[in-house]
Amino acid sequence: MTAFTSSDEDQAFSASWRTTHDADDHASCLQHWKQRYDQLTAGLFSGNFEEFWFDNLQVFRERTNQSVHEAGQSWEGSRTFGVPVEIDGKGWYCGQILDLNSIITLKGGEEMDFRTPKVQEILAVTTDAAALNDYALQVEHRDIEAELAGKRVLPASAEQAATLRDFLGTVMASLRATPEMLRHAAMRKALEQAIYGSLIASINPDTEHRPTPSGHARRLVVERAREYMNAHIEEPITVADLCAELRVSRRTLQYSFQDVLNLNPVSFLRALRLNGVRRDLKRAADHSASVADIAARWGFWHLSHFAADYKSMFGELPSETLRNAGHRID
């Protein structure tokens, strides 16, 4: 087993990688789950597993080269989502056919009954169900647990499955490359909210008509949002923070910013956070400060996207800003 874990002084996160040669051993890779794997097809078993834990989230990828029957339960109070990356052969999940465009889900305490294809690689997230539902209620005004009641395979489109698959793949690649960034609370918060937003987007909402806010109401939303931003100028504010503070949905926030400022709130907040990074780079007092650390403090978890956005905004790379300030670059 190859593993990377946080230090004893900082238990904010953990990360691990494993290669296995026995289905039963593979079942034990997933922390805090009660699982049993039985190999169903003949041949030498080979599996790969990686997992990241932080705050309310367990993000993992697993690959197996033999059909296995997976039985068991996730940890109490959790909600799991999974999407295949690769499959070879037919699989069955809780009585339904599994294909590449399936998005599967499991609630803590429910029994899993999963016969995997001959070859399977899957990306998955297990999270605290109440935390996800609270986020969905505050930001999207949706009761996700009510919407998922009784569902094991979500009625998602191929596009929704591909979007979730690509996003979770990007998350895993970023965490694998720089797991130590999870030591920063702002980075964990931003990543958790990004994951929650992606999971919610994969669940088709109820098709109820929701009235759009009036012009006056939209201006009031933006005014209150800007007041909150000004009062927290040195903090990495997120869309979810604004929704919770203003008690409006993401949809209302989107309409309001687009109408009043001709800019969506995500872009507006990204610009504020980029400016926050630039200020910190220019005045960094710690000569050992790195671009990655400062970006993580402001909630940027995808470093290549961050660097591109920074250069587009300011005409130079963040490393150049730090160099020009006369500080060492890690």
Side-chain angles (χ1 to χ4, degrees):
M1 179 184 79
T2 303
F4 176 100
T5 58
S6 56
S7 65
D8 292 338
E9 292 80 14
D10 179 7
Q11 292 299 319
F13 74 99
S14 68
S16 62
W17 296 260
R18 291 187 65 179
T19 298
T20 60
H21 299 288
D22 179 89
D24 201 42
D25 289 343
H26 195 89
S28 67
C29 291
L30 198 55
Q31 295 184 71
H32 305 296
W33 284 55
K34 298 176 182 178
Q35 291 194 113
R36 187 186 72 250
Y37 283 13
D38 295 312
Q39 183 173 332
L40 300 179
T41 53
L44 180 65
F45 180 90
S46 178
N48 291 289
F49 179 85
E50 58 181 324
E51 173 191 81
F52 297 89
W53 263 96
F54 60 98
D55 297 340
N56 296 307
L57 283 161
Q58 179 182 30
V59 187
F60 58 97
R61 178 198 295 258
E62 66 174 332
R63 181 181 177 87
T64 51
N65 74 331
Q66 300 292 343
S67 179
V68 299
H69 179 255
E70 302 180 8
Q73 297 178 344
S74 59
W75 38 279
E76 192 66 30
S78 67
R79 167 66 69 177
T80 299
F81 298 85
V83 61
V85 176
E86 178 187 354
I87 58 174
D88 180 11
K90 184 180 291 186
W92 291 87
Y93 179 76
C94 298
Q96 299 185 55
I97 294 176
L98 176 83
D99 62 31
L100 193 62
N101 296 319
S102 298
I103 298 178
I104 62 177
T105 188
L106 184 73
K107 186 177 181 179
E110 293 179 340
E111 191 68 26
M112 179 173 61
D113 180 11
F114 190 7
R115 185 181 66 75
T116 72
K118 177 72 181 292
V119 174
Q120 172 180 269
E121 183 173 348
I122 192 165
L123 285 160
V125 175
T126 302
T127 186
D128 181 87
L132 173 62
N133 210 50
D134 287 346
Y135 176 91
L137 286 168
Q138 282 190 340
V139 177
E140 304 290 351
H141 291 190
R142 293 175 60 185
D143 187 339
I144 292 298
E145 279 303 306
E147 293 181 31
L148 292 176
K151 292 186 174 69
R152 295 297 184 89
V153 178
L154 304 183
S157 66
E159 182 180 3
Q160 284 174 306
T163 298
L164 182 60
R165 181 186 305 116
D166 292 346
F167 173 78
L168 292 180
T170 300
V171 168
M172 293 295 285
S174 294
L175 293 179
R176 191 183 310 117
T178 52
E180 65 278 0
M181 286 202 301
L182 287 170
R183 291 192 176 98
H184 298 282
M187 181 346 190
R188 298 196 305 273
K189 174 184 172 182
L191 187 53
E192 177 179 275
Q193 292 181 358
I195 291 172
Y196 282 176
S198 185
L199 294 176
I200 293 167
S202 70
I203 305 167
N204 291 320
D206 297 331
T207 56
E208 61 184 75
H209 174 70
R210 298 176 185 174
T212 59
S214 67
H216 174 72
R218 293 180 186 184
R219 287 191 296 274
L220 185 60
V221 166
V222 172
E223 181 181 328
R224 291 173 57 209
R226 295 182 71 170
E227 287 175 358
Y228 181 79
M229 293 176 201
N230 288 334
H232 299 80
I233 192 66
E234 294 298 323
E235 299 174 23
I237 302 167
T238 66
V239 168
D241 292 333
L242 290 180
C243 290
E245 177 68 21
L246 275 57
R247 298 186 179 180
V248 299
S249 69
R250 179 190 292 267
R251 183 171 176 264
T252 295
L253 199 65
Q254 173 84 19
Y255 282 140
S256 300
F257 269 73
Q258 202 68 53
D259 184 46
V260 177
L261 300 177
N262 196 29
L263 190 69
N264 68 60
V266 173
S267 298
F268 191 87
L269 288 173
R270 185 189 301 117
L272 292 185
R273 289 161 57 215
L274 286 170
N275 278 276
V277 170
R278 186 169 178 82
R279 283 191 294 271
D280 282 358
L281 288 172
K282 291 169 65 178
R283 68 190 182 198
D286 183 355
H287 286 211
S288 67
S290 71
V291 169
D293 272 340
I294 292 174
R297 288 175 205 156
W298 283 90
F300 289 102
W301 59 270
H302 196 297
L303 288 181
S304 60
H305 286 177
F306 156 72
D309 289 342
Y310 187 97
K311 185 173 184 180
S312 177
M313 177 70 75
F314 302 116
E316 64 180 10
L317 290 170
S319 56
E320 293 172 319
T321 304
L322 190 58
R323 184 184 303 115
N324 292 337
H327 295 280
R328 183 172 69 84
I329 304 163
D330 290 348

